[in-house]
Amino acid sequence: MKVAVTGAAGFVGNNLLNLLVEAGHEVTAIDRVRSRYAPEYGVTWVNADVLDVESMKQALDGAEVVYHLVAMITLAQKDDLAWTVNTKGVRAVAEAALAVGVRRMVHCSSVHSFDQSSCGGTLDEHSPRSVDASIPVYDRSKWAGEIELREVVDAGLDAVICNPTGVYGPADYGLSRVNALLRNAARGRVPAAVQGGFDFVDVRDVAAGLIAAGEKGRTGENYLISGHMLGMHDVVRRAARAAGRRGPLYSFPLSVIERVLPIAEPIGTRFGSDVLSRSAMSALLAAPDVDGGKARSELGYAPRPADETIRDFVAFLVTSGQLSRGGQLFPVASSV
């Protein structure tokens, strides 16, 4: 079967390409750059503009299924480009898919399209959405992108929406924020952590969930692609131990972080860092229990154990040259 993947050179994209090629599909990989780590055969790379319907029509022509992964991730409160890419980009791809007769579109949204602080402690597909103006632009734009998609679904497009939680694990040549933290822990460079937690999901399970949604999902439905709730202190300690390191000895209560945010956030912004920001801490402060039962029952989705992900990720860091067996960092040739 011929399929197309937008954002194919990214973290989720690379992992999805591998699964699709292994399954024997002919893949059109759509991105501005070509990944050096994608399968050598079975993939045709196309540079197309996800904000331009005509450009996307050409790229999607002949595809039966399209997986839309393109998104701009940011912790900023306002970012016009992120808003445009995460909303108008979804609509342009959807309209192009409808126009050329794509059988199904799978849109990779995010758990952040849900208002995690207003879900009452448990988050499922019926939880409140990220509409409040005080919520970071990424969260609001992911929900707005779903609204754009649903309008095209109403016009006749067959599409489903997946909402992964915090994505981590191998393979990642970037690294993502979470994976970068785990690499630092594997190097013994994280002496302390913050309390709080988040639902983390293996990127390979996300890729499998997207494929399952394309095959079994119901038109217009959302599916939370979840993993396991992990405390931040616990997850960095596991990464350190997997590399033979001791791991953090201390953890700071989130209440302490909240008190210093008014001072730390503007300082970080001045130096180009958003690590200590309300946007960065909001998910940890909310820490909802994500109910992935719908994806499990309807898609047959089953996330692997967290220990397996962390062990595999540390092993990947070593084999990819990003970490020596003694915990020393080695650079990689690319950050796609």
Side-chain angles (χ1 to χ4, degrees):
M1 180 172 66
K2 185 176 180 180
V3 301
V5 179
T6 72
F11 179 28
V12 177
N14 264 308
N15 284 275
L16 179 58
L17 289 185
N18 284 323
L19 284 186
L20 291 171
V21 170
E22 287 175 8
H25 298 300
E26 178 186 349
V27 184
T28 298
I30 303 167
D31 211 314
R32 294 175 298 173
V33 296
R34 176 172 179 167
S35 172
R36 296 177 54 199
Y37 306 101
E40 185 176 354
Y41 302 103
V43 178
T44 300
W45 288 89
V46 174
N47 185 350
D49 184 357
V50 296
L51 297 177
D52 183 77
V53 175
E54 292 303 319
S55 177
M56 291 309 303
K57 283 181 182 179
Q58 296 180 28
L60 300 181
D61 189 33
E64 291 188 47
V65 178
V66 55
Y67 299 90
H68 180 56
L69 310 183
V70 169
M72 281 194 65
I73 301 175
T74 175
L75 294 174
Q77 189 64 32
K78 177 179 172 58
D79 187 312
D80 292 340
L81 181 57
W83 180 269
T84 299
V85 170
N86 296 346
T87 59
K88 302 305 180 185
V90 177
R91 187 177 192 105
V93 174
E95 289 181 346
L98 179 61
V100 302
V102 167
R103 177 172 58 81
R104 164 154 285 189
M105 176 174 170
V106 179
H107 173 46
C108 186
S109 183
S110 170
V111 70
H112 288 280
S113 70
F114 295 88
D115 186 348
Q116 297 173 64
S117 63
S118 301
C119 66
T122 300
L123 191 150
D124 63 18
E125 288 82 359
H126 301 290
S127 294
R129 293 309 197 112
S130 295
V131 296
D132 193 291
S134 65
I135 296 174
V137 66
Y138 175 72
D139 304 48
R140 290 183 284 113
S141 66
K142 293 303 283 186
W143 167 230
E146 292 186 26
I147 295 174
E148 297 279 356
L149 175 60
R150 291 185 184 281
E151 291 182 0
V152 186
V153 170
D154 290 342
L157 178 66
D158 184 340
V160 294
I161 304 167
C162 291
N163 300 84
T165 54
V167 185
Y168 76 139
D172 183 4
Y173 298 91
L175 295 163
S176 70
R177 290 175 184 273
V178 176
N179 280 343
L181 175 63
L182 297 187
R183 184 186 65 181
N184 285 338
R187 297 174 65 199
R189 300 291 182 86
V190 183
V194 297
Q195 294 178 2
F198 198 69
D199 189 292
F200 291 106
V201 60
D202 191 304
V203 65
R204 297 166 295 182
D205 293 334
V206 173
L210 292 170
I211 293 174
E215 295 172 348
K216 305 174 185 177
R218 291 183 288 131
T219 303
E221 292 291 317
N222 284 82
Y223 295 93
L224 280 161
I225 307 299
S226 62
H228 307 281
M229 172 59 73
L230 300 172
M232 292 305 300
H233 185 273
D234 182 39
V235 73
V236 295
R237 182 179 59 188
R238 292 192 201 190
R241 290 182 175 178
R245 299 285 178 171
R246 186 175 182 179
L249 300 177
Y250 309 103
S251 59
F252 295 99
L254 288 173
S255 58
V256 173
I257 303 298
E258 280 191 284
R259 287 198 292 270
V260 302
L261 276 179
I263 299 173
E265 187 166 13
I267 294 175
T269 300
R270 184 175 180 180
F271 289 95
S273 172
D274 53 17
V275 174
L276 278 179
S277 66
R278 188 159 297 279
S279 296
M281 295 293 118
S282 59
L284 296 179
L285 291 167
D289 179 20
V290 179
D291 182 357
K294 183 178 178 181
R296 288 176 171 84
S297 62
E298 295 190 16
L299 307 181
Y301 169 76
R304 71 197 68 203
D307 278 338
E308 178 182 332
T309 299
I310 295 170
R311 286 196 306 268
D312 287 354
F313 177 65
V314 172
F316 161 76
L317 290 175
V318 173
T319 58
S320 64
Q322 300 182 65
L323 189 75
S324 76
R325 295 189 183 277
Q328 181 182 352
L329 174 66
F330 286 100
V332 291
S334 175
S335 61
V336 297

